[in-house]
């Protein structure tokens, strides 16, 4: 029973931390979207996040001896372009207005 409470507390802390980061990012993103072209901002942001996740995936693949196949990378890239890149670009374009 005590372990479950610990997991619940961890989950609550993670949710609150996520809400705090999400709330702060809206203000920060608005600030940068006004100063920088939204397409450039979205591309730079996506590139940095992509590098971070690529390094994490290489680390996980190395430590767990699992790897992505070619189809997985193609699907992830497509999802990233449509779901992340296009949506974020339109969002920041709207913030700029």
């Amino acid at each position: 029973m005590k372990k479950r409470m610990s997991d619940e507390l961890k989950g609550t802390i993670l949710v609150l931390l996520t809400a705090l980061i999400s709330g702060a990012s809206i203000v920060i993103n608005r600030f940068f979207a006004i100063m920088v072209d939204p397409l450039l901002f979205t591309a730079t942001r996506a590139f940095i996040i992509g590098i971070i996740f690529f390094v994490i995936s290489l680390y996980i693949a190395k430590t767990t001896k699992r790897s992505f196949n070619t189809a997985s990378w193609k699907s992830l890239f497509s999802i990233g372009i449509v779901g992340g890149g296009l949506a974020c670009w339109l969002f920041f374009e709207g913030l700029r207005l």
Side-chain angles (χ1 to χ4, degrees):
M1 181 80 172
K2 194 169 192 171
K3 183 176 179 358
R4 184 179 180 133
M5 293 295 281
S6 176
D7 288 344
E8 185 176 334
L9 181 61
K10 286 180 192 176
T12 303
I13 290 170
L14 289 174
V15 166
L16 291 174
L17 184 63
T18 302
L20 180 68
I21 291 170
S22 177
S25 72
I26 292 172
V27 175
I28 294 168
N29 288 335
R30 170 115 171 107
F31 177 73
F32 281 110
I34 291 171
M35 293 177 52
V36 180
D37 179 54
L39 185 58
L40 177 65
F41 179 65
T42 302
T44 304
R45 186 172 167 239
F47 183 73
I48 292 169
I49 292 169
I51 289 172
I52 291 169
F53 279 114
F54 184 71
V55 169
I56 290 170
S57 69
L58 288 177
Y59 174 76
I60 290 173
K62 187 175 182 178
T63 58
T64 61
K65 304 295 185 213
R66 294 175 60 196
S67 64
F68 287 106
N69 58 25
T70 305
S72 295
W73 283 111
K74 288 178 183 177
S75 298
L76 289 173
F77 184 75
S78 300
I79 291 168
I81 294 295
V82 174
L86 185 61
C88 284
W89 174 51
L90 293 173
F91 175 75
F92 293 123
E93 191 68 43
L95 279 180
R96 189 178 68 150
L97 302 174

